[in-house]
Each structure stands twice: as C-alpha cells, then as structure tokens.
Amino acid sequence: MTAESSFVLQELHLYNWGAFAGRHQIGIDPGNSAIIGPTGSGKTTLVDALMTLLCASPRYNLASTGGHESDRDLVSYVRGASGQGNETGDHIARPGRCATGLAARLVRNSEGGRDVVWLGSLLWFDGSSQSAADMQKRWFFAQGTGHSLDLWLEEQHSGGARALTRLAKDSEGLLMFSSKAPYLAKLHSFF
C-alpha cells in the first residue's frame, strides 16, 4: 500500500472530554502537524482522546507521568475531573448526567475520488455515578459522507441508546458497537 492510498487522520473532534468543555475540532495537516503548548494546556488530553479510539486499554497521561501510573482514567475524562478528589466534589466539572463524544475523521485519496472513514465513541452517565460500570458506551465505525460526531450526539441527547440504535439501522455505512472489542476488530479488519 502506497502512502497515497493510505487513510490519513484529518480531524479530531471532541465534546466534553477532560478539561475541554463543549465542542472542539482540531484539523490535522498530513504534511506537518505538531501539538505544542505550555504544561497543563491539554496536549496529552488530545493524544489520550485518540488513544481511546484506537487502543483496547489505553494507558492515559503517559507523556506527563514519564510512563508511570496515572491518576487519569476514562471516567475522569468523561466527568472532567481535575486534581485529587475531595469530599466536596469540586474537582468534578460534570457531576450529574453528562455525555462525552470523540471522533476521528480519516481520509484517503483514491482513483475513484476521496474515501472518508469516521471512528467515534459516545460515553455517558445517566446519573451521578463515578463507577466505570455505570458508564454507557457506544463505538462507531462509519464509511462515507453524512456522518459526524454532532449527529451522534444529537441522537444520544434526544433519545439515548434507543435513538442511536435506530440511527445505526437507518444510516448507510454506519456500524455501532456497544462494546469496544468488536469495534476494534472492525478497525483491525478494515485497516
């Protein structure tokens, strides 16, 4: 496979991921991109978002910890936790019902035109739990146009898991998984 026929990361989309509150989109220049900024500005948080989409068991915050154990986990990113926990809970940015969304848009230029693939995840809590077991998770693999993190979030907000299942049934090129292993198997077989 030549470099011209490979899929290349073009955009990273975030919604309520860690300290990044609200909606964010990062464009990636395939010719030359760097993530730079002062300590604590969110560089590792961006890398951890991408690792969440690509790895079975990402080890978070490795750049900041020098490869040692981190205080960050998937729950802390969804809840927007910062610093050490305390009894007041003021270190939690999103303490009640909340949702987080991640998506990566990959593009390949081919003889037939442009191929687009979306990788994504929606993670949410319906209540105030801090337990990973109570977190709802959906993983997305989408080919073609008409897919976006915004659409998935809108469906989740309007009707939860049921609305997402209906969307996956009704959308051409969209596969949704309720667990990460079959999602990663799809990535492995596709790429």
Side-chain angles (χ1 to χ4, degrees), residues 55-99:
C55 299
S57 301
R59 293 182 56 210
Y60 293 122
N61 203 24
L62 289 181
S64 297
T65 64
H68 301 291
E69 277 304 306
S70 170
D71 61 346
R72 294 186 194 175
D73 61 13
L74 193 55
V75 171
S76 69
Y77 275 124
V78 172
R79 287 289 183 198
S82 60
Q84 294 294 326
N86 57 44
E87 291 178 19
T88 65
D90 59 1
H91 67 292
I92 304 291
R94 296 178 284 279
R97 182 181 178 144
C98 68

Side-chain angles (χ1 to χ4, degrees), residues 7 93 170:
F7 278 92
D170 296 343

Side-chain angles (χ1 to χ4, degrees), residues 7-24:
F7 278 92
V8 176
L9 177 63
Q10 188 173 63
E11 298 167 352
L12 183 61
H13 299 254
L14 310 171
Y15 175 76
N16 283 349
W17 175 253
F20 289 101
R23 184 72 167 79
H24 299 271

Side-chain angles (χ1 to χ4, degrees), residues 45-163:
T45 300
L46 294 176
V47 172
D48 285 351
L50 189 57
M51 297 294 287
T52 300
L53 293 174
L54 299 176
C55 299
S57 301
R59 293 182 56 210
Y60 293 122
N61 203 24
L62 289 181
S64 297
T65 64
H68 301 291
E69 277 304 306
S70 170
D71 61 346
R72 294 186 194 175
D73 61 13
L74 193 55
V75 171
S76 69
Y77 275 124
V78 172
R79 287 289 183 198
S82 60
Q84 294 294 326
N86 57 44
E87 291 178 19
T88 65
D90 59 1
H91 67 292
I92 304 291
R94 296 178 284 279
R97 182 181 178 144
C98 68
T100 290
L102 304 171
R105 184 172 181 264
L106 295 94
V107 175
R108 172 178 70 184
N109 293 320
S110 64
E111 291 178 20
R114 231 174 134 145
D115 299 323
V116 177
V117 170
W118 284 86
L119 311 178
S121 180
L122 293 184
L123 312 158
W124 71 92
F125 286 99
D126 289 325
S128 59
S129 174
Q130 300 288 328
S131 171
D134 293 330
M135 185 188 316
Q136 297 289 315
K137 302 172 188 157
R138 295 298 183 272
W139 304 93
F140 300 90
F141 176 88
Q143 290 180 268
T145 60
H147 306 287
S148 71
L149 178 60
D150 293 329
L151 176 61
W152 303 335
L153 284 165
E154 183 179 313
E155 289 298 314
Q156 190 277 332
H157 285 303
S158 70
R162 226 181 223 148

Side-chain angles (χ1 to χ4, degrees), residues 31-45:
N32 188 13
S33 290
I35 301 173
I36 59 172
T39 300
S41 63
K43 301 177 299 294
T44 301
T45 300

